[in-house]
Amino acid sequence: MTAPINLPNSVEIIDRHLHRFFDTDEMLVFHEKESTVVHSDVFLVKANEERNFNLLMTCGMSALPMNVPEEIDNLKYAEITMLLPADWPLSYKKLRDENNYWPIRTLLQLSKYPHINDTWFGFGHSIPMDHTQKVNHKFHKILLAKSTILSEGLSYINAEDKEIHIYCAIPIYKEELDCKIKHGAEKLLELFWQFGIDEIVDINRKNVCEYGY
């Protein structure tokens, strides 16, 4: 089943934005076959000799405004990225394995979450992950932050009729979520920096709050 042609989408805006920074032969699109609320795709920019990561980016969340507080009306449009290691299996055959596919599944779910739940996403927000699938990691939630790796220009889109803020999705452990709730997202990100952890997903990375914080 294909998405209804009148379902809101952001394909043209996101496609045009990414082509400002990357060549066509570096990019793929994982198209959503059945859509609700908005049509959500995930763009993939493949790693190369200059980039030691694969870039995933949602395309669809910014098709509709989020329900933000009135005083931050300029933050009502957003998209989300996730950075994967250069050797992450991303062929269509390998993506049949949920251990490889879960980042794409997560981004598709995140792109609809604020619209389905009449809420909004911003810096420091933590969002539940889908734990219905068996996977080879122990992450508990997604933390949204500003990218420390991507350029500032790539992380913001000034379209004709909207400003789109692009946040980076960082999977975190349960103890790290507790730290974020108690001390704030900035404290947790500071701990990541102290331990040399960046936003490129590592399913075996250290839990920076495993033994307290």
Side-chain angles (χ1 to χ4, degrees):
M1 180 184 299
T2 57
I5 59 174
N6 62 341
L7 204 63
N9 70 74
S10 301
V11 173
E12 184 177 341
I13 292 174
I14 303 305
D15 182 74
R16 185 169 61 243
H17 178 67
L18 288 177
H19 275 92
R20 290 179 53 211
F21 300 90
F22 308 107
D23 295 330
T24 299
D25 60 1
E26 296 180 296
M27 295 168 51
L28 293 173
V29 183
F30 298 106
H31 294 282
E32 187 177 48
K33 293 181 179 180
E34 297 185 16
S35 302
T36 57
V37 185
V38 295
H39 177 69
S40 300
D41 294 329
V42 173
F43 276 76
L44 162 66
V45 181
K46 294 176 285 186
N48 60 22
E49 293 182 356
E50 298 178 355
R51 289 189 305 277
N52 67 332
F53 59 85
N54 292 287
L55 166 65
L56 297 178
M57 181 171 169
T58 60
C59 173
M61 196 166 85
S62 62
L64 294 174
M66 298 181 291
N67 185 20
V68 301
E70 184 176 347
E71 63 272 17
I72 55 171
D73 186 67
N74 62 310
L75 299 180
K76 62 186 176 183
Y77 295 102
E79 297 287 354
I80 301 175
T81 62
M82 186 181 288
L83 306 187
L84 301 179
D87 60 354
W88 193 278
L90 286 167
S91 69
Y92 285 103
K93 182 177 180 180
K94 295 291 186 180
L95 288 174
R96 295 173 186 169
D97 183 345
E98 188 65 29
N99 290 320
N100 303 325
Y101 182 69
W102 69 262
I104 297 173
R105 180 188 299 280
T106 297
L107 288 177
L108 288 172
Q109 292 171 340
L110 287 175
S111 71
K112 300 179 187 298
Y113 188 99
H115 304 307
I116 291 174
N117 294 282
D118 195 27
T119 186
W120 65 287
F121 286 163
F123 171 83
H125 287 191
S126 49
I127 305 100
M129 296 181 68
D130 181 0
H131 295 290
T132 62
Q133 308 289 327
K134 290 188 65 175
V135 288
N136 59 356
H137 68 77
K138 297 181 180 179
F139 295 126
H140 182 64
K141 284 197 176 185
I142 291 293
L143 174 71
L144 295 185
K146 285 294 186 180
S147 175
T148 61
I149 295 178
L150 303 178
S151 68
E152 186 174 344
L154 180 55
S155 298
Y156 173 79
I157 303 174
N158 187 4
E160 293 181 2
D161 60 342
K162 61 179 70 173
E163 298 177 66
I164 303 174
H165 298 264
I166 301 173
Y167 302 98
C168 188
I170 303 174
I172 60 175
Y173 298 108
K174 172 64 168 62
E175 294 81 3
E176 294 171 344
L177 173 67
D178 294 340
C179 172
K180 177 255 173 179
I181 293 173
K182 186 174 182 179
H183 300 288
E186 293 283 5
K187 174 62 177 177
L188 178 57
L189 293 171
E190 181 183 327
L191 289 173
F192 288 160
W193 179 81
Q194 291 176 7
F195 284 98
I197 296 171
D198 59 29
E199 65 223 50
I200 301 175
V201 174
D202 178 358
I203 63 171
N204 299 308
R205 75 164 175 82
K206 178 181 177 60
N207 180 341
V208 300
C209 301
E210 184 176 7
Y211 302 109
Y213 37 85

